[in-house]
């Protein structure tokens, strides 16, 4: 079966392409290469021995998207990753974020509808919960006003899909990711942020190789055990597996609702300091850090209740925090020839 992965050369996309190929799917990737490198195709080939069909495509271009879908009418399902994803950047570039994330989603959905394709997995985020009240967070937690244009694109993206499903027999799974980290154990693919990393793990690994002089820890006065923020970190390989299972669930028509929502996390919270100290233990390298001001928009804690995805999709996280940190460290060293 043929599966389209939009944003398939990005961090989560590339790991999902590998997981799909390993399950025997024929994968077609589109990516505009705005935040990914064409060399990721070689990384994928080094792992699976196969290069996915690739087309460089800007999904904001409605005509090009329609042409693409017309040329690939045998696609059975779409995993839609392609989007701008940096919270901080979205505060500076709101229009670009709304344009890219909404136009791309709308164009893909419209083209799917046009050719009668109806199975989609959408990348959503735990950001839709804002500061949740009760930990761990279930899918029933209320949706809070988004704190950033990026977060808003995830909330409204979910609504667009729900609204389309009222007038079109769309079958979709919305996966609300917690904090994806780590890399493929081979070290052939991983996370490659452009410029100064916004996220914690690439900042830690870049500090460890000496690219950054020190890590800034944003705040030590949060309502948590050690005062630093607590997050639920999920290995990108486990997250990729959740996508494959979600798609197969739709392929087998096992879904009872047109739109199903699942949290994807490890179900356990770790503080920033716990993460730093675990990394030091795993890598044997001391991380220079400083405690600085809180970062605007950060919630004090978020971790997932994953009972629903375990029950319905039979998915379970298989990787430990040490696996996540070791693989991220292996990737950083390998990609920098450290
Ligand atoms: N952090 C630091 N120093 C850094 C980077 C991060 O202390 O240099 C801290 C943050 O303050 C936070 C934790 O590390 O407490 C994790 O931060 P990340 O930037 O790695 O990830 P976020 O928790 O901010 O990201 C999550 C989701 C996103 C979502 C976002 C919304 O992964 O999809 O929350 O706030 F958009």
């Amino acid at each position: 079966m043929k599966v389209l992965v939009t944003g398939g050369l990005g961090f989560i996309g590339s790991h999902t392409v590998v997981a799909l190929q390993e399950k025997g799917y024929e994968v077609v990737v589109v990516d505009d290469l705005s935040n990914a490198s064409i060399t990721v195709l070689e990384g994928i080939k080094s792992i699976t021995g196969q290069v996915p069909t690739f087309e460089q495509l800007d999904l904001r271009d409605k005509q090009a998207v329609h042409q693409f879908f017309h040329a690939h009418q045998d696609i059975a399902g779409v995993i839609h990753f392609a989007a701008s994803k940096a919270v901080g950047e979205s505060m500076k570039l709101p229009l670009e974020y709304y344009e890219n994330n909404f136009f791309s989603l709308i164009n893909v959905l419209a083209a799917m509808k046009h050719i009668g394709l109806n199975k989609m997995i959408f990348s959503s985020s735990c950001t839709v919960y804002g500061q949740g009240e009760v930990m761990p967070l279930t899918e029933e937690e209320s949706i809070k006003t988004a704190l950033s244009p990026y977060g808003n694109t995830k909330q409204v993206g979910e609504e667009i899909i729900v609204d389309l499903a009222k007038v079109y027999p769309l079958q979709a799974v919305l996966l609300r990711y917690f904090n994806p980290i780590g890399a493929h154990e081979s070290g052939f693919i991983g996370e490659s942020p452009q410029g100064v990393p916004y996220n914690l793990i690439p900042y830690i690994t870049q500090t460890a190789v000496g690219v950054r002089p020190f890590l800034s820890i944003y705040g030590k006065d949060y309502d948590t055990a050690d005062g630093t923020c607590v997050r639920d970190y999920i290995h990108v390989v486990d997250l990729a597996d959740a996508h494959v299972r979600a798609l197969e669930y739709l392929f087998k028509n096992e879904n009872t609702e047109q739109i199903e929502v699942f949290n994807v996390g490890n179900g356990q919270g770790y503080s920033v300091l716990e993460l730093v100290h675990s990394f030091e233990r795993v890598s044997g390298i001391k991380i220079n850090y400083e405690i600085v001001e809180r970062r605007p928009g950060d919630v004090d804690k978020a971790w997932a209740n994953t009972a629903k995805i375990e029950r319905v999709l039979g998915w379970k996280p298989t990787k430990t925090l040490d696996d996540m940190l070791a693989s991220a460290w292996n990737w950083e060293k390998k990609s920098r020839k450290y």
Side-chain angles (χ1 to χ4, degrees), residues 46-297:
S46 301
I47 299 168
T48 64
Q50 300 165 54
V51 187
T53 305
F54 173 72
E55 192 162 321
Q56 185 171 352
L57 184 61
D58 183 342
L59 295 174
R60 292 172 300 183
D61 182 341
K62 186 174 178 176
Q63 207 185 338
V65 173
H66 276 267
Q67 273 169 1
F68 174 85
F69 276 85
H70 274 277
H72 295 273
Q73 302 222 12
D74 52 345
I75 288 170
V78 178
I79 305 185
H80 182 56
F81 292 105
S84 305
K85 62 167 188 178
V87 175
E89 186 183 53
S90 79
M91 309 286 265
K92 293 182 203 135
L93 302 171
L95 292 182
E96 286 81 352
Y97 267 66
Y98 287 124
E99 182 187 4
N100 191 29
N101 293 6
F102 288 152
F103 286 13
S104 297
L105 175 63
I106 292 166
N107 288 340
V108 167
L109 287 169
M112 285 174 64
K113 182 166 173 270
H114 207 247
I115 64 162
L117 176 56
N118 71 347
K119 299 195 187 333
M120 173 188 251
I121 313 296
F122 177 67
S123 305
S124 189
S125 163
C126 65
T127 188
V128 301
Y129 301 126
Q131 179 55 71
E133 318 273 312
V134 187
M135 295 299 139
L137 296 160
T138 70
E139 291 81 358
E140 306 304 316
E141 177 74 26
S142 59
I143 304 295
K144 308 276 180 354
T145 305
L147 296 173
S148 67
Y150 161 77
N152 206 27
T153 65
K154 291 298 169 189
Q155 287 189 11
V156 179
E158 288 194 0
E159 288 170 10
I160 290 171
I161 290 169
V162 168
D163 285 341
L164 177 62
K166 292 172 188 161
V167 294
Y168 179 69
L170 186 66
Q171 314 282 314
V173 172
L174 315 178
L175 293 179
R176 291 181 180 155
Y177 315 152
F178 281 68
N179 289 44
I181 63 168
H184 194 271
E185 60 180 6
S186 65
F188 286 122
I189 54 172
E191 188 173 9
S192 299
Q194 291 184 337
V196 181
Y198 182 82
N199 294 111
L200 181 60
I201 296 303
Y203 213 108
I204 290 177
T205 55
Q206 289 193 11
T207 306
V209 289
V211 174
R212 311 277 157 212
F214 63 91
L215 167 75
S216 297
I217 294 184
Y218 300 129
K220 204 176 179 300
D221 56 352
Y222 283 98
D223 181 20
T224 59
D226 64 21
T228 63
C229 293
V230 172
R231 295 287 183 276
D232 181 342
Y233 296 92
I234 166 82
H235 198 300
V236 66
V237 169
D238 278 335
L239 181 56
D241 177 49
H243 287 80
V244 178
R245 283 172 190 260
L247 193 64
E248 292 185 332
Y249 173 70
L250 295 182
F251 284 159
K252 288 185 214 145
N253 296 312
E254 286 175 344
N255 51 313
T256 47
E257 309 286 333
Q258 267 184 275
I259 309 294
E260 301 260 14
V261 182
F262 298 104
N263 285 338
V264 201
N266 247 43
Q268 216 177 330
Y270 291 97
S271 75
V272 175
L273 276 176
E274 280 177 315
L275 219 75
V276 169
H277 295 318
S278 300
F279 180 82
E280 290 179 331
R281 184 174 40 74
V282 166
S283 66
I285 293 183
K286 197 114 195 75
I287 297 294
N288 293 324
Y289 67 81
E290 284 183 9
I291 307 288
V292 300
E293 290 285 286
R294 287 181 176 206
R295 183 173 71 176

